[in-house]
């Protein structure tokens, strides 16, 4: 063995004794030994302190307990895997269905250890899973999936299996030829009668029940009743009785500790002893003929004269004390509830919340008399019907008839959208809070064709984002815009009506007080009459001016004649 202290100083250990390694299924994996303060250990003896690491043939153990005497130390060390109790996971899962791999990923997310899963396991419902150390989370996983694990120290990994060991046909007859170190019998969990409820109707009520009595019921003064069994999927009495017979524990729990060599003398035939191996334990006086398993092995790596000490038990050893206590508390709580149990696929019924269903993505559905109906995602009410009948829908509304979508309502990046379709699914009406992509300038209404020209946009009423003014567009049966009406106070565009040709060219434009055809302005009669009157007045003014100029000219000529000498 090699000891390494907290300052990473290592030394070889000598002069030790009573070395033993004790290992239990899903529980303890401890090293015990005594170390003497001799001249050979002058350097290593001081290194053996709490949290120092002992390396024994590749397995590492962390010193947790020391009984220190004047000349020796008695040391207890736990396998280094259990140091994962210091690897805290500051994260959690929302209540719901998860795979065992997802749960293990979270449990070991902060640890240097990893895992391998052998076999396949269905999803299971987890509640308040997380925010704990890796070992505690592993315990919860073991209980939820009813699995077991073994430690592979070389790769710093645990191996998850449905069950450790192998089943053998060996028969161990207690009181015949088995010399034991100890034996314990516990009848606390023994039950000889149970009521089974089955044949569940659509309202959650069990229509049938049957009582099952164990063949051992007469071995005791009166029946030992188990808690009732509720079988939702069972509809026949024979199936209900078969289930009760298979699951009722009607024999006491027996644990026997013996040396392996004694077990082999008594009939254990497998040469390779390992945790989880099973055999039949027979005790005629107690009417016991049950399958027992090796739940604990203690072996002595430095003492070839000692046979391993093996504990076989009819008790299923897959819980640690803390987990056992937690389950006991949960069972006590269940007794005060009305059929409190997991139903199916993450759905539960509790007196506090009524019906509660949790999807894999964390969306929660409630149904009870105080909240009504609620579907909640990340604390947002996606669907809510209050007890007063108020309806709130945060998402997409889609109404169908015979598989054809008739109405849709949802929110896109530009605002709310409402679409109405005809009986064949063709879009007829579209109403939006915004015609354009980002700037909310007002609502919009689209009307579409159906029949031969289905989905062709024929009428559009909306707000023009550029002008912040209303407009109407009417299109032909090919969705080509032919008529548009725009209302704007903008000087550059004004309020106008446009008539377009098939090629989209403006043919007629009507502005306030102005009409253009093919870009030529149209003159009205009143405008023309006013222009003619203006022209007449101008002609009259020019005529008067000409007459005035003519009179002036002749006067000038007369003056010139008079001014000339008479002889000329």
């Amino acid at each position: 063995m090699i000891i390494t202290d907290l300052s990473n100083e290592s030394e070889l250990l000598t002069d030790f004794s009573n070395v033993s390694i004790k290992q239990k299924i899903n529980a303890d994996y401890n090293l015990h030994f005594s170390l003497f303060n001799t001249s050979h250990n002058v350097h290593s003896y001081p290194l053996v302190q709490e949290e120092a690491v002992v390396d024994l043939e590749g397995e590492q153990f962390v010193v947790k307990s020391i009984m220190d005497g004047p000349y020796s130390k008695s040391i207890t060390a736990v396998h280094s895997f259990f140091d994962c109790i210091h690897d805290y996971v500051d994260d959690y899962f929302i209540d719901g269905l998860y795979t065992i791999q997802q749960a293990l990923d979270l449990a070991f997310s902060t640890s240097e250890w990893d895992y391998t899963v052998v076999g396949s396991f269905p999803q299971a419902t987890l509640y308040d899973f997380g925010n704990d150390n890796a070992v505690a989370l592993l315990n919860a996983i073991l209980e939820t999936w009813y699995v077991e694990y073994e430690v592979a120290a070389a790769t710093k990994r645990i191996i998850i299996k449905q069950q450790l060991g192998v089943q053998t046909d060996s028969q161990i007859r207690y009181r015949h030829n088995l010399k034991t170190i100890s034996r314990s019998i516990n009848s606390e969990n023994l039950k000889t009668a149970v009521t089974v409820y089955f044949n569940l109707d659509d309202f959650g009520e069990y229509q049938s029940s049957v009582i099952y009595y164990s063949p051992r019921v007469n071995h005791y003064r009166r029946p030992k009743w188990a808690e009732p069994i509720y079988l939702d999927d069972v509809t026949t009495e024979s199936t209900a009785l078969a289930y009760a017979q298979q699951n009722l524990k009607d024999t006491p729990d027996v644990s026997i500790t013996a040396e392996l060599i004694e077990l082999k003398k008594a009939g254990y035939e497998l040469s390779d002893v390992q945790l989880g191996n099973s055999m039949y334990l027979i005790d005629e006086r107690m009417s016991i003929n049950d399958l027992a398993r090796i739940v604990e092995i203690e072996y002595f790596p430095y003492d070839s004269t000692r046979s391993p000490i093996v504990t076989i038990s009819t008790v299923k050893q897959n819980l640690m004390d803390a987990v056992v206590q937690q389950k006991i508390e949960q069972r006590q709580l269940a007794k005060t509830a009305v059929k409190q149990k997991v139903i199916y696929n993450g759905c539960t019924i509790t007196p506090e919340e009524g019906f509660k269903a949790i999807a894999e993505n964390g969306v929660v559905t409630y149904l009870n008399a105080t909240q009504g109906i609620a579907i909640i995602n990340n604390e947002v009410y996606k669907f809510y019907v209050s007890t007063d009948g108020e309806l709130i829908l945060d998402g997409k509304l889609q109404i169908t008839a015979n598989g054809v979508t008739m109405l849709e309502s949802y929110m896109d990046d530009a605002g709310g959208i409402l679409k109405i379709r005809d009986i064949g699914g063709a879009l007829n009406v579209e109403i939006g809070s915004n015609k354009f992509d980002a700037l909310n300038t007002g609502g919009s209404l689209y009307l579409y064709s159906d029949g031969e020209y289905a989905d062709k946009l024929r009428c559009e009423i909306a707000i023009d984002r550029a002008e912040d003014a209303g407009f109407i567009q009417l299109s032909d049966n090919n969705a080509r815009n032919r008529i548009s009406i725009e209302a704007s106070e903008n000087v550059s565009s004004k309020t106008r009506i446009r008539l377009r040709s098939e090629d989209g060219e403006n043919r007629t434009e009507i502005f306030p007080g102005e009409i253009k055809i093919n870009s030529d302005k149209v003159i009205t009669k009143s405008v023309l009459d006013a222009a003619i009157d203006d022209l007449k007045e101008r002609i009259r003014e020019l005529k008067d001016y000409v007459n005035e100029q003519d009179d002036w000219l002749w006067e000038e000529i007369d003056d010139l004649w008079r001014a000339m000498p008479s002889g000329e």
Side-chain angles (χ1 to χ4, degrees):
M1 291 190 293
I2 298 175
I3 184 72
T4 303
D5 67 1
L6 293 177
S7 63
N8 211 31
E9 183 178 351
S10 299
E11 291 288 345
L12 184 67
L13 290 175
T14 58
D15 289 347
F16 50 77
S17 67
N18 299 325
V19 179
S20 68
I21 295 178
K22 183 180 293 186
Q23 190 173 5
K24 298 179 182 179
I25 294 178
N26 286 2
D28 299 340
Y29 191 0
N30 297 340
L31 167 67
H32 303 273
F33 66 97
S34 297
L35 182 67
F36 299 98
N37 189 6
T38 66
S39 59
H40 298 98
N41 283 330
V42 65
H43 298 295
S44 59
Y45 193 86
L47 302 183
V48 181
Q49 299 294 335
E50 288 78 4
E51 298 302 313
V53 175
V54 179
D55 191 303
L56 194 160
E57 298 181 355
E59 301 280 349
Q60 293 184 330
F61 298 84
V62 181
V63 175
K64 295 295 182 180
S65 174
I66 299 176
M67 293 185 63
D68 205 344
Y71 305 108
S72 66
K73 296 178 179 180
S74 180
I75 296 104
T76 299
V78 302
H79 196 278
S80 60
F81 166 70
F82 291 98
D83 247 18
C84 289
I85 198 171
H86 302 299
D87 297 331
Y88 191 83
V89 177
D90 191 16
D91 198 1
Y92 68 97
F93 283 159
I94 298 173
D95 295 353
L97 286 170
Y98 296 92
T99 65
I100 191 172
Q101 287 84 358
Q102 288 174 313
L104 288 165
D105 284 341
L106 181 64
F108 290 101
S109 59
T110 60
S111 174
E112 61 181 2
W113 283 76
D114 205 346
Y115 68 89
T116 296
V117 176
V118 178
S120 59
F121 302 91
Q123 290 181 317
T125 304
L126 294 177
Y127 300 98
D128 299 323
F129 184 81
N131 290 335
D132 211 331
N133 67 74
V135 174
L137 295 179
L138 175 61
N139 290 339
I141 292 170
L142 300 178
E143 169 61 15
T144 300
W145 274 274
Y146 298 101
V147 293
E148 298 173 349
Y149 74 91
E150 60 185 359
V151 178
T155 56
K156 296 189 78 68
R157 154 181 316 265
I158 65 166
I159 301 173
I160 303 292
K161 297 180 179 180
Q162 184 71 64
Q163 183 171 296
L164 300 181
V166 296
Q167 182 171 341
T168 73
D169 294 327
S170 298
Q171 295 182 356
I172 306 298
R173 292 182 176 271
Y174 181 71
R175 296 183 184 274
H176 278 229
N177 56 354
L178 178 61
K179 180 181 178 181
T180 66
I181 297 174
S182 65
R183 173 176 180 262
S184 67
I185 298 179
N186 186 349
S187 62
E188 182 179 355
N189 295 324
L190 185 148
K191 305 296 179 182
T192 59
V194 64
T195 302
V196 185
Y197 294 90
F198 61 100
N199 198 14
L200 187 69
D201 65 14
D202 293 338
F203 299 97
E205 298 295 331
Y206 296 95
Q207 302 300 301
S208 306
S209 65
V210 64
I211 296 177
Y212 170 77
Y213 290 101
S214 164
R216 295 183 173 89
V217 67
N218 294 325
H219 291 188
Y220 305 95
R221 287 185 296 273
R222 58 188 178 86
K224 297 179 179 292
W225 288 92
E227 293 183 11
I229 299 174
Y230 300 92
L231 301 177
D232 295 358
D233 291 334
V234 173
T235 58
T236 65
E237 182 176 303
S238 59
T239 304
L241 288 171
Y243 183 90
Q245 180 181 4
Q246 181 179 0
N247 290 275
L248 190 68
K249 183 172 180 56
D250 57 359
T251 58
D253 292 329
V254 178
S255 294
I256 293 175
T257 300
E259 292 188 13
L260 179 60
I261 190 171
E262 293 297 330
L263 286 179
K264 291 182 177 180
K265 289 178 181 179
Y268 183 70
E269 299 177 355
L270 193 65
S271 59
D272 182 20
V273 61
Q274 58 178 316
L275 281 176
N277 282 1
S278 61
M279 65 205 73
Y280 287 95
L281 179 62
I282 300 172
D283 187 342
E284 287 88 350
R285 198 179 75 168
M286 295 290 297
S287 299
I288 296 174
N289 185 2
D290 287 345
L291 198 65
R293 299 179 66 202
I294 297 178
V295 297
E296 179 181 317
I297 300 177
E298 183 179 12
Y299 57 95
F300 310 94
Y302 291 95
D303 190 346
S304 59
T305 64
R306 297 192 64 179
S307 174
I309 296 176
V310 177
T311 299
I312 62 172
S313 175
T314 60
V315 182
K316 188 175 182 180
Q317 299 287 327
N318 66 334
L319 302 176
M320 290 190 178
D321 292 342
V323 179
V324 172
Q325 182 60 35
Q326 178 186 13
K327 290 301 174 182
I328 291 174
E329 293 172 357
Q330 290 178 354
R331 284 196 294 270
Q332 293 299 324
L333 177 63
K335 291 179 181 178
T336 64
V338 181
K339 295 176 185 175
Q340 176 175 338
K341 60 184 182 298
V342 174
I343 308 299
Y344 297 110
N345 296 326
C347 302
T348 60
I349 297 177
T350 65
E352 296 82 12
E353 297 177 327
F355 175 85
K356 179 181 180 182
I358 304 174
E360 291 186 51
N361 59 1
V363 176
V364 181
T365 300
Y366 290 100
L367 173 60
N368 55 53
T370 55
Q371 289 177 291
I373 303 173
I375 300 177
I376 305 173
N377 185 17
N378 291 328
E379 300 183 357
V380 175
Y381 280 75
K382 307 301 290 184
F383 180 84
Y384 178 60
V385 181
S386 72
T387 53
D388 294 329
E390 177 188 15
L391 170 64
I392 297 175
L393 174 63
D394 185 352
K396 182 175 182 179
L397 172 65
Q398 186 168 340
I399 300 176
T400 64
N402 298 322
V404 178
T405 298
M406 304 298 295
L407 183 144
E408 294 177 88
S409 182
Y410 57 91
M411 180 77 74
D412 66 8
D413 292 338
I417 301 292
L418 173 64
K419 295 181 179 180
I420 303 174
R421 301 178 183 273
D422 66 12
I423 194 66
L427 183 61
N428 278 171
V429 181
E430 182 178 354
I431 301 174
S433 64
N434 184 3
K435 168 181 168 54
F436 298 98
D437 55 358
L439 185 61
N440 187 8
T441 58
S444 59
L445 169 64
Y446 301 145
L447 303 179
Y448 296 85
S449 303
D450 55 11
E452 181 181 357
Y453 302 104
D455 293 331
K456 298 292 186 181
L457 181 60
R458 303 297 289 274
C459 178
E460 180 179 357
I461 303 174
I463 303 298
D464 188 333
R465 178 177 61 177
E467 307 299 341
D468 195 17
F471 72 89
I472 299 174
Q473 292 192 154
L474 304 178
S475 303
D476 60 20
N477 53 15
N478 287 314
R480 292 175 298 205
N481 177 242
R482 304 300 292 274
I483 300 174
S484 66
I485 303 173
E486 303 173 29
S488 174
E489 295 181 356
N490 191 297
V491 177
S492 63
S493 60
K494 303 180 181 179
T495 298
R496 58 192 170 187
I497 300 175
R498 291 178 175 176
L499 307 180
R500 296 184 176 88
S501 62
E502 291 184 357
D503 58 6
E505 295 293 330
N506 290 333
R507 294 305 185 201
T508 302
E509 293 182 273
I510 302 175
F511 297 86
E514 181 180 347
I515 300 176
K516 290 183 180 181
I517 298 178
N518 294 329
S519 300
D520 295 328
K521 184 180 292 186
V522 176
I523 305 300
T524 64
K525 182 178 181 300
S526 60
V527 173
L528 182 59
D529 289 344
I532 292 174
D533 290 341
D534 289 342
L535 181 59
K536 287 179 179 180
E537 181 65 29
R538 180 63 176 163
I539 290 174
R540 283 194 295 268
E541 290 176 355
L542 288 175
K543 183 178 179 182
D544 292 341
Y545 176 75
V546 170
N547 289 335
E548 290 176 359
Q549 292 299 316
D550 184 62
D551 292 342
W552 175 80
L553 181 61
W554 283 111
E555 289 177 0
E556 288 294 318
I557 292 173
D558 288 343
D559 289 341
L560 288 174
W561 279 109
R562 286 193 293 269
M564 291 181 62
S566 59
E568 295 182 3

